[in-house]
Amino acid sequence: WLFFGKGKLSYTVEAPKWTLLGGVLGVLYLTSIVISVPFVGVGITMVAVIIGQLVMSMIIEHYGWLGSKRSRINKEKIFAVISMIIALILVN
C-alpha cells in the first residue's frame, strides 16, 4: 500500500511496537533458512521448521495466547514432538 499512495510510512511510529515484531522475526526466520539450506538441505530444514511450529503452537495453546482456546500440554503432544525430533536426527 505504501507504494501505491494509500499507506503511510509515519504509521510505523504510531503503531504498537509489538506489531512491528513480526517484520523483525520474519527477517531472522528467512535469514536462518537461507543460511541453513546449503549446509543441511531443504528437507531437513523444513522438518526443523515444522518442529519449531509444533512446539510454539503447543506453548501458545497452553497459555491461551492470541485468543486461542487453552489446551494443556499432554503426553501425546510431547511424544509427537519427540518423535519428529528423533526422525530429524535419523534422517540427518
Side-chain angles (χ1 to χ4, degrees):
W1 291 107
L2 179 66
F3 298 113
F4 296 110
K6 296 183 181 185
K8 290 188 337 183
L9 190 58
S10 63
Y11 182 69
T12 56
V13 179
E14 301 167 14
K17 299 306 175 218
W18 68 269
T19 59
L20 303 175
L21 189 61
V24 173
L25 293 177
V27 169
L28 291 173
Y29 169 76
L30 289 175
T31 303
S32 65
I33 287 179
V34 167
I35 291 171
S36 65
V37 165
F39 293 106
V40 296
V42 175
I44 293 174
T45 302
M46 291 298 107
V47 171
V49 166
I50 292 169
I51 291 171
Q53 289 175 349
L54 284 173
V55 170
M56 197 63 212
S57 69
M58 284 186 349
I59 293 169
I60 289 171
E61 286 182 345
H62 179 76
Y63 291 107
W65 294 342
L66 306 173
S68 67
K69 182 181 171 192
R70 290 187 78 162
S71 174
R72 303 293 252 156
I73 296 175
N74 56 27
K75 61 184 175 197
E76 288 85 10
K77 291 180 182 180
I78 292 173
F79 180 72
V81 171
I82 290 172
S83 298
M84 296 262 321
I85 292 170
I86 291 170
L88 180 66
I89 292 169
L90 291 176
V91 168
N92 194 6

